[in-house]
Amino acid sequence: MNLSTNLFRLDLSSPEAFGGGYDGPVSVSVGGPIISKFITALRELATFKELLRSRVECVLIDWLSEFINIDMQNAKESRRRFDKSMQLYDQSREKFVSLKKNTPEDIVAELEEGLQNSKSSFEKSHFNLVHSLMNIEVKKKYEFLESISAIMDAHLRYFKLGYDLLSQMEPYIH
């Protein structure tokens, strides 16, 4: 638990003990009923804050975790497969190009087939890498913006609920 979380945790038992109950003469003389209303309002504000924290955690942190742990790992894996297929394609090309004119036809056909297979594998892995990278770009541009918008909306609601609650408390505050 960090410092900012601790700053918002209120121990409201002391003001409640000070205010006593609603009906006691001592409680009424020190403003117990009003203190109780303030304590209730502070508890509601704490609930609003917890809802905001939960929303931010759900929207942004979960999204970032998924982005890093799944999407980025998929792109890294695609890049690894691409590098491997490129290396195999280069090797097949070198073997095919290094053939002599008097090489038997069956060996030439076998190397040509291997070259075609490695080229096909290379092109497929290239496509998969581009697809993974484009997926990352789309998520960065649109899904991240959508997440930030949802967080800003959650903040707007948090402050609006707080404002509405404190507006209702204004007569007691003054």
Side-chain angles (χ1 to χ4, degrees):
M1 191 179 321
N2 61 27
L3 180 61
S4 65
T5 305
N6 285 333
L7 290 176
F8 289 110
R9 293 199 186 273
L10 297 174
D11 181 15
L12 299 174
S13 59
S14 296
E16 278 180 321
F18 177 76
Y22 288 104
D23 301 335
V26 175
S27 172
V28 171
S29 69
V30 295
I34 293 174
I35 290 174
S36 293
K37 288 182 186 298
F38 289 163
I39 290 169
T40 302
L42 289 172
R43 282 198 173 116
E44 284 186 54
L45 286 172
T47 301
F48 298 158
K49 183 200 68 78
E50 189 58 32
L51 289 171
L52 173 64
R53 186 203 58 76
S54 174
R55 182 77 175 140
V56 168
E57 185 176 306
C58 178
V59 170
L60 186 62
I61 295 174
D62 290 350
W63 183 87
L64 285 173
S65 295
E66 180 182 324
F67 182 76
I68 290 170
N69 295 329
I70 296 173
D71 299 324
M72 292 298 288
Q73 292 303 320
N74 287 343
K76 286 179 184 180
E77 184 63 27
S78 293
R79 178 59 193 224
R80 189 188 61 71
R81 284 191 302 266
F82 171 76
D83 289 341
K84 184 177 180 180
S85 67
M86 184 172 63
Q87 182 183 18
L88 292 173
Y89 180 48
D90 287 342
Q91 289 172 354
S92 294
R93 255 191 330 209
E94 287 175 16
K95 282 181 186 178
F96 188 76
V97 170
S98 68
L99 289 175
K100 308 255 188 236
K101 287 195 180 236
N102 57 359
T103 305
E105 286 293 318
D106 60 329
I107 294 176
V108 171
E110 184 180 320
L111 288 176
E112 187 174 13
E113 183 181 341
L115 178 63
Q116 290 300 322
N117 290 340
S118 63
K119 180 180 179 184
S120 175
S121 176
F122 168 74
E123 288 172 349
K124 182 179 177 185
S125 65
H126 183 253
F127 174 77
N128 288 338
L129 176 61
V130 169
H131 182 266
S132 292
L133 294 175
M134 288 182 65
N135 186 37
I136 287 174
E137 285 301 313
V138 165
K139 285 190 175 202
K140 278 187 349 190
K141 287 181 182 174
Y142 299 107
E143 289 185 20
F144 184 69
L145 181 60
E146 192 175 271
S147 295
I148 294 296
S149 294
I151 288 171
M152 294 308 292
D153 183 60
H155 278 83
L156 174 69
R157 291 180 192 287
Y158 168 71
F159 287 111
K160 185 173 180 349
L161 287 169
Y163 176 78
D164 291 344
L165 177 64
L166 291 176
S167 291
Q168 293 171 5
M169 299 297 298
E170 191 170 12
Y172 302 107
I173 295 171
H174 295 297

